[in-house]
Amino acid sequence: MNFFISENIFSFNSGTEHAQIKRTKLFNAFNDAAKYVTRNYNRLLDRDLKAVGLTPDVVLNMYDFFQGTTDIKRVEQNLRLLKMLPLDTYHIVADGPNQSFLNHNGRRIATITVMPETVGLVNEVIFEDRAGNPTIRENWDWRGFKSSVDTFHPDGSLATQRFLNLKGDVVLEITHMAINGIVQPTMWQLLNYRGHHYRFNSENELLTFFLNEIVKRYQEATLISDRRTLDEAVGKVSGAKQKFAYFHDIHTPDVVQPRLGDPYPVYEIALSQKNQLFDAILVPTDAQRHDIKARYPNLNVKTAPDTFILQSMLTQSQTSVRDRVNHRILFLGRLSPEKNPEAAVQVLAVTRRYVNDATLEFMGYPANTEIVQKLQQLARDLGVESSVIFTPYGNYEAVKEALSRAQVIIETSHGEGFGMNLVEALAFGLPIVSYRINYTTTTHEIVENNRNGYVLPTASANIMAQRVASILNDPSKWASMSTASYQKAKFFSAEKIYNVWQQVFKN
């Protein structure tokens, strides 16, 4: 059994989660059992995993495991049908679509919030004192059962979190106390687990205990830590057949000379401080492997693919330039400073000198609200506001639609571990124009210069705009590069990528 371990599945997932999701699908498609394991408590996990195309049987959450709720089917729980509320005594008064008030003897005693994306399903029941301060909060799982209960300090800060099994018994408790004036979790207690109580100083200590319990159930368990915040917890697990730390991103802030740059501190656990806990470090490209080996010559570092393309995508019909939105440029990825989305707006402004109806579509979740505002302001300053489209971050189907309507995809990031967005673009026959980026375009793995796109030697918005315009203005060049991208996509077929992974595990 393979366990791919991360913090969570989110409503807005980064490339790390997407890579882990795809790897889970890949292994299970070849009947090589794998589970996406999550540490964080997430009452909406059942909803979120379905949004990314995973089924409950291939996802395992630590809190669900201890609560005994891993196999629960969803039953919608309407807030007006809660058995805990005898309506001959209590009265529910609606206050819009998102919440209702619970009244008793003419006084409001609680607020009931509605589960996101539902109508009338219970999310939280927040009991209040006479001053309106929260005293107890009951939290309901997406699947329709009461999952946890919170209590509060007099100042309104969280005091305890108690996690319940289906009988309503407390099986896990987190205590929150003030340290240097900041209230934070200080103790995790696992209650009556197999007849014993256990105490932990951190959530990661609990994670190690949880993973040890999982490994005991399988004679040959392979663990992959997909988040650096979890490396030590995963590394300390005993009894596993193999343990790996997978680096999805560039390991150093020195994106120009990564071989010479000091690593981010969070990478030091796997690279030096506790590297003996892992059988190997896994990275997406040979280039990153060589750079890490140059600095850490005694470290076992292997190259393992970060993504793949479904066979159904490889066999789909090629689309022509006429099937796309005319002169549409796509920026696909998280909107955050390291991705350098401002350069994409600058590229559009210059491109429109040569292609006056060119448009730019951003698709990716923003790191914060300010970054979207800054991009909008930059577009106004450059006179291209009406030509910049911000498409809400969506599921895989929404991403496919964005890739299907674009004519060119651009990459302006400062540094990347690989470039999943560009691999996905290959399957849709998109020409790629990219800055030379470690480790995305420093090799020919994704983009072959002058064949399926352009790799620019310098990060120049003017030069990128000229390359983009040359593709948009020349249908024959677009067709040639599009065909080359379709052909390049075959190098990332599911079968090829799975076979590479098997070699990684064998050697």
Side-chain angles (χ1 to χ4, degrees):
M1 174 67 79
N2 302 285
F3 296 101
F4 308 144
I5 304 154
S6 195
E7 295 171 345
N8 206 351
I9 295 174
F10 303 93
S11 297
F12 303 120
N13 294 291
S14 70
T16 295
E17 286 77 37
H18 285 302
Q20 188 177 347
I21 289 163
K22 297 195 73 171
R23 191 194 315 137
T24 303
K25 294 177 180 179
L26 176 68
F27 276 57
N28 285 299
F30 284 88
N31 297 315
D32 191 354
K35 286 185 181 289
Y36 187 122
V37 179
T38 64
R39 179 199 63 183
N40 295 8
Y41 177 61
N42 181 0
R43 297 183 293 113
L44 303 180
L45 181 61
D46 187 66
R47 178 202 67 176
D48 295 339
L49 67 89
K50 291 175 181 176
V52 297
L54 291 178
T55 54
D57 59 301
V58 300
V59 177
L60 180 60
N61 173 257
M62 179 176 73
Y63 287 85
D64 271 344
F65 176 82
F66 290 122
Q67 291 178 265
T69 55
T70 57
D71 299 321
I72 302 302
K73 303 295 182 182
R74 187 183 186 216
V75 177
E76 295 185 351
Q77 177 60 64
N78 190 284
L79 63 87
R80 293 186 174 273
L81 299 177
L82 286 171
K83 295 180 180 180
M84 57 177 279
L85 302 178
L87 296 185
D88 57 343
T89 304
Y90 298 95
H91 300 282
I92 298 176
V93 180
D95 182 44
N98 297 320
Q99 69 178 11
S100 294
F101 297 132
L102 183 66
N103 295 336
H104 178 59
N105 291 333
R107 182 177 74 85
R108 191 175 88 191
I109 62 171
T111 299
I112 307 176
T113 65
V114 175
M115 187 71 72
E117 303 175 11
T118 73
V119 177
L121 301 187
V122 64
N123 178 42
E124 300 168 325
V125 182
I126 307 167
F127 292 92
E128 306 161 359
D129 61 19
R130 290 186 175 275
N133 301 312
T135 57
I136 297 174
R137 179 174 59 204
E138 298 179 341
N139 306 299
W140 288 71
D141 191 277
W142 176 261
R143 292 165 291 177
F145 57 86
K146 184 164 63 176
S147 177
S148 65
V149 178
D150 303 329
T151 62
F152 298 87
H153 291 295
D155 65 357
S157 60
L158 195 59
T160 62
Q161 295 173 272
R162 296 184 174 97
F163 303 90
L164 315 176
N165 61 20
L166 291 179
K167 295 179 181 179
D169 301 325
V170 179
V171 297
L172 179 63
E173 181 176 283
I174 303 176
T175 301
H176 295 249
M177 298 183 66
I179 299 178
N180 297 324
I182 300 175
V183 176
Q184 54 191 288
T186 56
M187 182 173 63
W188 283 253
Q189 293 188 85
L190 190 58
L191 305 176
N192 198 28
Y193 178 73
R194 298 184 180 275
H196 298 279
H197 294 341
Y198 299 89
R199 182 177 294 180
F200 307 93
N201 294 318
S202 70
E203 193 171 31
N204 273 355
E205 284 188 9
L206 176 62
L207 175 64
T208 300
F209 181 89
F210 160 63
L211 293 174
N212 277 326
E213 292 298 289
I214 295 301
V215 168
K216 290 175 186 176
R217 301 187 179 192
Y218 300 89
Q219 292 183 345
E220 294 189 348
T222 294
L223 309 184
I224 296 181
S225 174
D226 280 290
R227 280 284 179 188
R228 306 288 66 77
T229 52
L230 308 181
D231 282 344
E232 185 168 5
V234 176
K236 287 181 177 179
V237 174
S238 59
K241 179 184 177 182
Q242 294 183 98
K243 292 180 292 184
F244 302 97
Y246 194 106
F247 291 4
H248 294 272
D249 213 337
I250 190 167
H251 57 282
T252 171
D254 192 340
V255 297
V256 178
Q257 294 182 300
R259 184 170 295 195
L260 302 178
D262 292 330
Y264 290 108
V266 73
Y267 283 78
E268 289 284 9
I269 293 290
L271 288 174
S272 58
Q273 295 174 4
K274 300 291 178 69
N275 58 50
Q276 74 280 0
L277 299 176
F278 294 99
D279 293 277
I281 304 298
L282 307 181
V283 294
T285 65
D286 286 333
Q288 187 173 16
R289 177 170 61 85
H290 293 319
D291 285 347
I292 292 176
K293 286 289 289 183
R295 189 179 180 102
Y296 304 91
N298 296 323
L299 197 62
N300 188 15
V301 187
K302 298 182 179 183
T303 304
D306 207 24
T307 190
F308 73 98
I309 298 174
L310 289 169
Q311 186 62 29
S312 59
M313 300 299 298
L314 295 176
T315 57
Q316 67 182 350
S317 300
Q318 296 186 18
T319 58
S320 70
V321 69
R322 294 186 299 275
D323 298 319
R324 318 282 180 130
V325 174
N326 195 39
H327 299 155
R328 171 62 55 85
I329 305 165
L330 176 64
F331 180 103
L332 178 63
R334 188 171 68 255
L335 304 184
S336 56
E338 72 274 11
K339 303 293 184 180
N340 194 21
E342 297 88 349
V345 180
Q346 296 165 349
V347 168
L348 173 68
V350 179
T351 300
R352 285 179 63 85
R353 299 176 191 171
Y354 310 101
V355 187
N356 59 18
D357 62 345
T359 56
L360 170 66
E361 178 177 3
F362 281 109
M363 187 174 196
Y365 73 88
N368 52 61
T369 56
E370 290 76 16
I371 196 164
V372 174
Q373 295 171 354
K374 289 180 180 179
L375 291 172
Q376 291 171 332
Q377 184 60 53
L378 178 59
R380 284 193 290 270
D381 294 342
L382 296 176
V384 294
E385 180 183 12
S386 61
S387 301
V388 178
I389 302 103
F390 292 90
T391 301
Y393 179 83
N395 57 23
Y396 287 141
E397 290 303 316
V399 172
K400 290 178 183 178
E401 291 174 5
L403 290 165
S404 296
R405 58 179 169 256
Q407 288 190 354
V408 174
I409 188 170
I410 60 175
E411 179 63 89
T412 58
S413 179
H414 295 301
E416 295 283 348
F418 189 53
M420 184 184 298
N421 57 335
L422 301 188
V423 173
E424 292 175 341
L426 295 176
F428 290 84
L430 280 179
I432 301 167
V433 183
S434 174
Y435 292 158
R436 188 181 185 278
I437 302 168
N438 282 311
Y439 293 99
T440 299
T441 53
T442 50
T443 67
H444 297 311
E445 291 187 45
I446 301 174
V447 188
E448 293 186 43
N449 197 35
N450 293 310
R451 187 169 183 270
N452 68 324
Y454 294 107
V455 178
L456 311 184
T458 58
S460 167
N462 286 335
I463 297 175
M464 177 174 279
Q466 292 171 16
R467 296 292 187 270
V468 170
S470 72
I471 298 172
L472 297 180
N473 279 329
D474 188 341
S476 62
K477 177 183 288 188
W478 184 93
S480 175
M481 287 187 166
S482 177
T483 298
S485 281
Y486 279 121
Q487 293 171 346
K488 194 71 174 177
K490 297 176 183 178
F491 287 91
F492 298 93
S493 71
E495 184 175 4
K496 287 183 178 180
I497 298 304
Y498 178 73
N499 288 337
V500 173
W501 271 101
Q502 298 317 296
Q503 293 303 312
V504 168
F505 286 164
K506 288 179 181 178
N507 297 332

